[in-house]
Amino acid sequence: MVLTDNLMTYLVEVMLSHLAFTCALLLASVAAIRRFIRESYRVGGFGQKHVFITGCDSGFGNLLARQLDGKGLHVLAACLSEEGAADLAAATSSRLKTLLLDVTDSESIRRGVQFVSREVGERGLWGLVNNAGRSIPIAPTEWTKLEDFTKVLDVNLIGVIDVTLQFLPLLKKAQGRVVNMASVLGRLSLIGGGYCLSKWGVEAFSDSLRRGMQQFGIKVSIIEPGFFKTAITSVELIDTDLRRLWTRLPQEVKDSYGETYLEDYVKAQEFSMGILCSTDISKVTRCMEHALTAQFPRTRYSAGWDAKLFWIPLSYLPSCVSDFVVNMLLPSPKG
């Protein structure tokens, strides 16, 4: 009893002697508890809500479609291939409907809007998830051509904008949600090619969309995952594409990098991906689900330990620091 009294007395003395720190700690604790409670509230009526998701053949879109279907929402899953659509339909309930859609084709999107409009009726569309994307070509900027940029931008950015604009009337009816897939590479540009550019563009588009649509009751969330192993980020796919880009370079450019640069670059990427990449893509889809089902969704969601603890903090540091860290991860030319 005496020991307990002494301990309490000591703690009180410490708190009084560090009053500012104690107050800050208490405020932070109250804010964290309030945020946890606020984010735990969910919207109701899942059985009356429709969610349209692009890029459901595999990866995040596929898992999210199955996840939401299991929660009782009406999922409208857009796939690029008939095989992807058939596999998803076979793995889900009869509530889930699939359709073929190419986000780079405005006419395909228009047909998708007509399909979704018939499904949702006057209720409108509760959720739009812009998930479809591509990663390659990813390489040092000098290795790329203009068409390498447009291939990625057409899917990751222009496609997102086109889909969103065409679906906005249905979203306004339901005062629904837009969830856009960005990346930590929309905060910190690590590599050449169109991927980082496209994700920075998604960040900017989402911010302007959110501010413009607030008065109509539409909420916009951005998902910023770290590095995850999916079909579009496999080491084998990136490795193969790097070698393709290298073979088309003029000999003069190859010489400026050195004979071993390609292999050094591939090994550095494999090493970084091996350390940083997570196989648990549900970390991302849980964020997407929360953005669609929470009464108070976040504006931004970071998914993965590398996003929270490394990439996003690094993006706030001075450029000289982030440049140094990024350069440490990649080989230097030896030409």
Side-chain angles (χ1 to χ4, degrees):
M1 186 68 178
V2 173
L3 181 61
T4 303
D5 290 342
N6 289 340
L7 180 60
M8 291 299 295
T9 302
Y10 172 74
L11 290 174
V12 170
E13 288 176 354
V14 169
M15 286 190 291
L16 290 174
S17 62
H18 300 83
L19 191 58
F21 174 77
T22 302
C23 289
L25 184 61
L26 286 172
L27 286 172
S29 300
V30 169
I33 293 169
R34 178 183 179 276
R35 179 178 180 178
F36 176 80
I37 294 172
R38 190 171 187 265
E39 291 190 347
S40 67
Y41 295 134
R42 294 290 189 271
V43 297
F46 282 8
Q48 301 299 315
K49 288 180 167 53
H50 291 75
V51 177
F52 179 75
I53 310 169
T54 64
C56 292
D57 297 80
S58 62
F60 301 132
N62 185 279
L63 179 57
L64 179 65
R66 290 185 280 119
Q67 209 168 289
L68 296 180
D69 179 60
K71 299 284 185 180
L73 283 90
H74 293 270
V75 177
L76 307 170
C79 298
L80 186 60
S81 69
E82 291 185 1
E83 181 183 0
D87 289 346
L88 180 58
T92 52
S93 75
S94 58
R95 274 190 311 273
L96 184 142
K97 301 290 193 301
T98 62
L99 68 152
L100 297 181
L101 185 135
D102 180 356
V103 299
T104 66
D105 181 353
S106 289
E107 183 55 40
S108 176
I109 297 170
R110 273 192 287 274
R111 290 194 297 270
V113 171
Q114 292 169 359
F115 174 87
V116 172
S117 183
R118 290 193 297 269
E119 291 291 326
V120 303
E122 290 304 311
R123 286 193 298 270
L125 181 64
W126 172 253
L128 167 64
V129 181
N130 282 306
N131 167 74
R134 67 174 292 165
S135 58
I136 58 171
I138 290 175
T141 301
E142 190 179 14
W143 299 12
T144 58
K145 297 179 179 179
L146 180 60
E147 56 263 32
D148 296 323
F149 284 86
T150 56
K151 286 177 186 176
V152 179
L153 290 168
D154 283 347
V155 177
N156 293 4
L157 179 58
I158 304 303
V160 168
I161 295 171
D162 198 357
V163 169
T164 304
L165 293 179
Q166 293 203 45
F167 276 94
L168 269 181
L170 293 176
L171 288 161
K172 287 172 74 174
K173 278 186 179 181
Q175 295 187 323
R177 309 285 173 83
V178 178
V179 180
N180 288 334
M181 178 63 75
S183 168
V184 291
L185 299 184
R187 295 285 199 101
L188 189 68
S189 189
L190 302 180
I191 46 180
Y195 190 79
C196 294
L197 276 69
S198 69
K199 296 307 181 181
W200 281 74
V202 168
E203 294 272 355
F205 173 68
S206 300
D207 282 342
S208 62
L209 180 70
R210 184 184 68 255
R211 294 177 182 122
M213 290 292 107
Q214 280 176 342
Q215 59 189 326
F216 298 105
I218 294 176
K219 294 181 171 66
V220 180
S221 297
I222 307 169
I223 312 296
E224 299 173 334
F227 290 175
F228 286 85
K229 291 181 180 177
T230 65
I232 68 167
T233 60
S234 70
V235 172
E236 295 79 10
L237 180 67
I238 295 172
D239 183 354
T240 301
D241 195 64
L242 277 170
R243 296 180 188 280
R244 178 185 67 84
L245 297 176
W246 176 263
T247 57
R248 75 182 189 188
L249 291 176
Q251 190 59 46
E252 181 183 357
V253 176
K254 291 181 181 178
D255 291 341
S256 70
Y257 284 90
E259 290 183 6
T260 64
Y261 187 82
L262 173 62
E263 296 303 325
D264 292 342
Y265 193 92
V266 168
K267 288 176 183 176
Q269 284 222 334
E270 289 177 351
F271 177 75
S272 299
M273 297 285 275
I275 293 176
L276 298 172
C277 265
S278 171
T279 57
D280 184 10
I281 64 173
S282 67
K283 293 176 182 177
V284 179
T285 57
R286 284 197 297 269
C287 294
M288 300 161 91
E289 180 184 328
H290 187 271
L292 291 164
T293 61
Q295 283 190 23
F296 306 102
R298 299 182 193 176
T299 300
R300 281 176 167 81
Y301 293 83
S302 57
W305 70 266
D306 60 318
K308 293 182 173 73
L309 303 179
F310 187 63
W311 297 119
I312 291 178
L314 183 62
S315 72
Y316 288 111
L317 296 178
S319 296
C320 60
V321 177
S322 59
D323 288 352
F324 174 79
V325 173
V326 172
N327 289 333
M328 289 289 288
L329 298 174
L330 297 173
S332 299
K334 298 173 184 176

